[in-house]
Each structure stands twice: as structure tokens, then as C-alpha cells.
Amino acid sequence: MVLTHSAPEPAALTTPSHHGGFTLIEMMIVAVIMGVLAALAIPNYSRVRERATIARAIGDIKALGMDLTDYQMGHGSFPASLADIGRAGLLDPWGQPYRYVRVSGSNRGALRKDRFLVPINSDFDLYSMGPDMKTTAALTAKAARDDIIRANDGGYVGVAEGY
């Protein structure tokens, strides 16, 4: 006959000493982790939002460019203003009206220019002043670098700094 003897379990091991909830240290660790995650996510969200805003302006300029070209094909010349194609009230994502300048009959000083001070379009200029809402004719100037432009007669639509 084999006798087995089991030791009685101590009372401290069978009764729970923790009654639920979190300690202050655990709460502080969770707060630090959430802070780190927020610090990483907020700048990324800002960049994504800025890219989406620029993409909207690019899409608007492309659509306006097609409307202006359609008008020119039907009337033999480009319109005097965006009002002639029914788009005078269209605002860019920063709340400013899009800028339109016909090359034909315009003062050469009013036209957008590249780094060699050569006009960037031969038909019309169409652009947004961008997030800083400032601009100059020369794209190399600081005020014009964030503008969303149409260049090369529609071959390029994007941020002036990338042109």
C-alpha cells in the first residue's frame, strides 16, 4: 500500500491578494504609451491632410484647364476670365479664388516665370497661391514655391517647387 501525503496549501496562495483595478504605475505606463503613439500619429496625419489638400487643388486646376481649352476650341480664343466659363466662384482648398491670366494680350510681367524668367505657359496661366496665400510671378521666389501651378501648357500641374 502506497501512502501519499499532500501538503496543505498555505492560505496566502489560495486567497487572492489583488482585488482588481490598476495600480498607479500601470496607469502611468499606459499614459506614456498613449502619448508616444499620439506623438507619432499627429505629424503623419498632418502630412496626409496636406497632401490631400494639394491633390484637390491639382485636380481643380486640371479640370479648369480642360474647361478653358474646351472654351477656346468653341470660341476661337481663351476667355477673358473664369466667369466666362461659369467658374468665377470656385475657391482653392485654402479659400482663395484660382488665378487665371490669358497670355494673349496680357502684360508679360503678369505671367508666371521659371528660373530663367521665361513664361511657363504659352496659352494661359492658371494657379492657386497655395497654403501661404502669397505669390510672385517668378517661381523661384519664396512666396511662389508653395503655389499649385499649371506649366508647360498643361504638361505639368503641381507644386511650383517641384517644377
Side-chain angles (χ1 to χ4, degrees):
M1 172 179 205
V2 177
L3 291 175
T4 58
H5 180 16
S6 61
E9 295 185 27
L13 295 177
T14 59
T15 56
S17 62
H18 196 273
H19 291 64
F22 297 102
T23 66
L24 181 60
I25 297 293
E26 291 170 330
M27 295 292 280
M28 288 174 55
I29 290 171
V30 169
V32 167
I33 290 171
M34 289 175 61
V36 168
L37 291 174
L40 294 172
I42 290 172
N44 287 336
Y45 174 73
S46 296
R47 281 191 292 273
V48 167
R49 186 174 170 176
E50 180 182 336
R51 282 195 303 252
T53 304
I54 289 170
R56 179 180 150 214
I58 289 170
D60 287 350
I61 289 173
K62 286 180 178 180
L64 284 169
M66 288 191 300
D67 290 347
L68 291 163
T69 301
D70 288 347
Y71 181 95
Q72 188 270 339
M73 290 182 161
H75 294 86
S77 66
F78 288 102
S81 71
L82 293 177
D84 294 343
I85 60 169
R87 302 298 282 279
L90 184 62
L91 300 178
D92 68 13
W94 302 278
Q96 300 296 313
Y98 286 97
R99 309 296 172 150
Y100 164 72
V101 179
R102 246 186 347 192
V103 170
S104 174
S106 293
N107 176 2
R108 188 171 165 92
L111 301 176
R112 307 308 299 267
K113 297 172 187 67
D114 64 12
R115 66 176 185 244
F116 302 112
L117 299 179
V118 175
I120 60 174
N121 291 297
S122 63
D123 50 4
F124 60 89
D125 282 345
L126 182 60
Y127 61 96
S128 163
M129 293 190 298
D132 72 354
M133 295 180 239
K134 297 176 187 171
T135 193
T136 61
L139 298 180
T140 55
K142 183 179 179 187
R145 287 186 191 147
D146 70 337
D147 293 0
I148 312 303
I149 62 166
R150 175 189 176 274
N152 294 343
D153 295 337
Y156 175 85
V157 179
V159 180
E161 190 172 42
Y163 176 67

